[in-house]
Amino acid sequence: GFTVDGSIIRYDLPGIVFSMAVALVSAFVAMVVVQPKRVSRRVRPSRGAATVRLLGGSLVLGAGIAGVHYSIMWAMELQGTVAYDTTYVAASVVAAWLTAVMILWLVTVADRRWMRIVGSIVAGAAVIGVHFLAMAGVRVTVDPSTAAPSGVEVFAVLFPVFVLGMLILTVPIMALLMAPDRVAAALEAEAEAW
């Protein structure tokens, strides 16, 4: 959770902002890498090129998934020290990469709604699994004599992020729902021309 018995926890705001930037940049770069560059609608890239793009994009996205977790842990300030078990760190990085492979594979092949829904649920669960695997390797040594950390509380960050995230999702969705249907408009114009 968000507590360590015997210590106050605060977060360094620049570290949190950095972790958000890692998430956004890695997702963007991974999507750019994985998308095929078509010369025409009839010419599709080879399967080998698609596999290379998938693996390259998943390395970027996997590094981003793991990087977000560890950069947030780096931003955490408490009364004591934090140590990591390297076995769990390595396992969480591998799990992040496998999660990224699955996510990007679904991005490239999920062409039905049910596939996207199931894939989204599995991807969300996998990212949560990466987090719990990484947290299993965290060892905290509390030192109450250490000064109380400065920084922001977790909910001072989570609430604005939640509100901003909802706005980022809501505005484009509403714009799409309110936009005129271009295909229908083109068909109507073609019908009127007859």
Side-chain angles (χ1 to χ4, degrees):
F2 294 117
T3 62
V4 171
D5 291 336
S7 177
I8 296 171
I9 296 180
R10 296 290 184 264
Y11 292 86
D12 177 50
L13 193 56
I16 296 294
V17 171
F18 174 76
S19 72
M20 290 177 192
V22 167
L24 293 172
V25 170
S26 66
F28 176 77
V29 170
M31 291 299 174
V32 168
V33 169
V34 80
Q35 289 302 314
K37 293 172 179 49
R38 291 186 183 177
V39 177
S40 71
R41 289 182 173 248
R42 294 180 186 194
V43 178
R44 293 190 179 264
S46 70
R47 184 175 293 265
T51 302
V52 168
R53 277 194 312 280
L54 175 68
L55 294 176
S58 65
L59 284 174
V60 173
L61 186 59
I65 292 169
V68 166
H69 172 80
Y70 288 107
S71 63
I72 289 174
M73 291 300 294
W74 168 70
M76 184 179 73
E77 298 175 4
L78 52 82
Q79 294 171 290
T81 58
V82 178
Y84 300 94
D85 182 324
T86 54
T87 303
Y88 282 101
V89 170
S92 69
V93 169
V94 169
W97 176 70
L98 292 173
T99 299
V101 169
M102 182 213 39
I103 290 169
L104 293 179
W105 178 76
L106 283 168
V107 163
T108 59
V109 301
D111 58 352
R112 292 192 170 79
R113 183 176 301 211
W114 70 267
M115 289 174 75
R116 292 180 185 145
I117 291 170
V118 170
S120 297
I121 292 168
V122 171
V127 170
I128 292 168
V130 168
H131 168 72
F132 279 101
L133 181 60
M135 289 305 292
V138 173
R139 303 292 176 255
V140 176
T141 304
V142 176
D143 182 4
S145 66
T146 307
S150 61
V152 296
E153 292 185 26
V154 70
F155 292 106
V157 174
L158 287 181
F159 182 73
V161 168
F162 176 75
V163 170
L164 183 62
M166 291 306 293
L167 286 174
I168 289 172
L169 289 174
T170 303
V171 170
I173 290 171
M174 291 305 297
L176 284 172
L177 291 174
M178 294 178 2
D181 186 354
R182 292 184 188 145
V183 174
L187 290 174
E188 286 178 18
E190 188 177 317
E192 287 176 12
W194 277 79

